Amino acid sequence: MNVNTIINNLEAKHPGEKEYLQAVHEVLESIETIYNENPQYEAAKIIERLVEPDRILTFRVSWTDDEGQVHVNLGYRVHFNNAIGPYKGGLRLHPSVNLSILKFLGFEQTFKNALTTLPMGGAKGGSDFNPKGKSDAEIMRFCQAFMLELWRVIGPNTDVPAGDIGTGGREIGYLYGMYKKLQMENTGVLTGKGLNWGGSLIRPEATGFGATYFAKEMLAVNNDTFKGKTVTVSGFGNVAWGVALKVTELGGKVVTISGPDGYIYDEKGLDAEKIDYLLELRASNNDIVSPYADEFPEAKFIPGKKPWEVKCDIAMPSAIQNELNGEDAKKLIANGVQYAAEVSNMGCTPEAIEEFQKAGIPFAPGKAVNAGGVAVSGLEMSQNAMKLNWTTEEVDAKLHHIMSSIHEACIKYGTQSDGYINYVNGANIAGFIKVADAMLDQGII
Ligand code: NDP
């Protein structure tokens, strides 16, 4: 395999799909050596088959707002790879959604799901619909219209979607309601469901908690802990709040959260009361960042900036792809950052990753750090299939165990001869081997 040739060919076939090409490039660079050492992969054209999704469904979503105006959005579901289990991956509702973004997310999801040790393939979907500022009734009508198309290609043994940006418990409820009506079946076809209709305990917190457990393992390599550490976090969505809560519980101090319009710096750090306040604001569909600064006088709102200029020990980007670039990484390094754990999918640009690695700072990629979300989704699927519910302690212990195994896999495949743990290589190689070997076993399909 020659990485540049493959990327050039893909670029010619899929011009302008920059996020997708970026994600493929990163994985290919990590696996190049192992791929070329194992000619059976090349003989079965594993890479050429792995970089193209199995299929893509694109559809129109028509819905009516509260004033009776008709709107038309685009909906997508990308079935990327089901070598190790049913397709599985979230639904993103955000105006930036396009095929490049969903293909990058589906590709990443394939390896992430393999890392969890659970039987799940990779998928992603969503729409360019913007849930911000919409009423509950509008969200419901959109979700129902979206499901009118999506239901044809999902099912508990086929494809099990979940949440992502813009899709939380409320949206999953409306989507599930419509699926159930169309299919006349009460199966666990979505994860992130409400607790009294098939959901799992810990699922809402799982991505953030899992990310913090993974970061805890990164610290433990150096006999270090979160106690007394200053942590910068971006965003304040499904994922970031769980990070803030667990880091705080473990004795760390989260001093930032952010939105697209700027960030909050709270020198005293978030605590349970502040997190509850923010969650209430979020539930009411309101902007949260500037009201927080009005409510708590110790917090400052810094408009138009990102939190990476703040001095911290650990950086945990938790908002959106490419939110931390090379210049941001340089600032963090100059300010003494010791660890970077990417919680968002592809939250750091290749230049940022290079800066961290050059400086010898442990950097772990989203597909390893944020795998706790899909892992607990996998546990939700198991509970649905067995028709029983595990306790909080049981789910949390399994999540903890899965995050430790992912960390061990990264160490196994990513430790360099100089002792530096290259988590990017470790996660990519471990995920790749599992998926590629399953594809080999199943023949050319
Ligand atoms: P949410 O929509 O719940 O939250 C996203 C947060 O990021 C919001 O606070 C949003 O602010 C903020 N944000 C959006 N754009 C920007 C920007 N340009 N700059 C700064 N902040 C921004 O999404 P999730 O928490 O679900 O997802 C966050 C990341 O984690 C994504 O990369 C997602 O793919 C990944 N992830 C999510 C999982 C899950 O279980 N939900 C699982 C694994 C990964 P505002 O609301 O004001 O727009």
Side-chain angles (χ1 to χ4, degrees), residues 92 132 164-166 203 207 236-239 259-260 282 319 344-345:
R92 178 173 292 194
K132 260 232 170 119
D164 189 70
I165 291 180
R203 178 60 190 93
T207 311
F236 195 80
N238 297 325
V239 167
R282 208 177 144 249
S344 42
N345 281 309

Side-chain angles (χ1 to χ4, degrees), residues 179-433:
Y179 176 82
K180 197 165 54 73
K181 190 164 182 72
L182 291 164
Q183 189 66 41
M184 289 198 293
E185 217 179 67
N186 211 325
T187 45
V189 75
L190 287 150
T191 56
K193 299 187 289 297
L195 273 182
N196 52 356
W197 43 277
S200 173
L201 286 159
I202 305 278
R203 178 60 190 93
E205 302 90 336
T207 311
F209 279 19
T212 311
Y213 295 153
F214 190 94
K216 192 173 113 193
E217 299 285 341
M218 293 170 76
L219 290 153
V221 170
N222 298 322
N223 292 321
D224 215 344
T225 68
F226 267 107
K227 220 169 175 70
K229 294 278 187 301
T230 301
V231 182
T232 45
V233 170
S234 58
F236 195 80
N238 297 325
V239 167
W241 77 267
V243 173
L245 190 62
K246 189 49 83 177
V247 166
T248 310
E249 266 176 43
L250 295 179
K253 186 164 77 160
V254 173
V255 292
T256 62
I257 54 163
S258 72
D261 50 344
Y263 76 92
I264 286 285
Y265 174 57
D266 183 342
E267 200 182 352
K268 287 195 181 155
L270 270 69
D271 57 27
E273 183 208 344
K274 291 172 177 171
I275 293 171
D276 280 347
Y277 170 77
L278 286 164
L279 286 174
E280 264 174 45
L281 275 181
R282 208 177 144 249
S284 57
N285 224 358
N286 282 327
D287 178 29
I288 55 166
V289 170
S290 38
Y292 178 84
D294 296 338
E295 179 76 14
F296 299 99
E298 65 271 31
K300 275 192 279 194
F301 175 53
I302 294 99
K305 294 279 184 73
K306 298 190 275 182
W308 318 125
E309 58 189 21
V310 171
K311 188 172 167 50
C312 67
D313 302 304
I314 305 167
M316 298 183 76
S318 307
I320 199 151
Q321 67 272 2
N322 292 328
E323 56 173 312
L324 195 162
N325 62 28
E327 289 309 308
D328 298 324
K330 280 186 197 160
K331 274 186 229 159
L332 282 164
I333 294 164
N335 277 330
V337 74
Q338 295 164 41
Y339 302 88
E342 180 187 67
V343 190
S344 42
N345 281 309
M346 212 163 73
C348 296
T349 64
E351 295 75 27
I353 298 172
E354 201 182 319
E355 291 296 335
F356 289 131
Q357 292 178 335
K358 250 184 1 202
I361 288 160
F363 164 82
K367 67 169 74 69
V369 178
N370 70 32
V374 73
V376 173
S377 278
L379 300 178
E380 183 175 329
M381 288 162 71
S382 306
Q383 293 170 80
N384 292 161
M386 293 187 294
K387 302 204 187 304
L388 55 77
N389 299 316
W390 289 323
T391 63
T392 299
E393 291 71 27
E394 283 171 309
V395 179
D396 198 36
K398 287 181 204 298
L399 171 64
H400 224 127
H401 177 73
I402 289 170
M403 297 317 293
S404 303
S405 344
I406 298 175
H407 188 265
E408 268 168 37
C410 290
I411 291 193
K412 178 172 172 192
Y413 291 105
T415 306
Q416 297 178 172
S417 51
D418 61 2
Y420 178 74
I421 302 169
N422 187 325
Y423 285 93
V424 175
N425 284 352
N428 285 335
I429 295 171
F432 168 76
I433 290 176

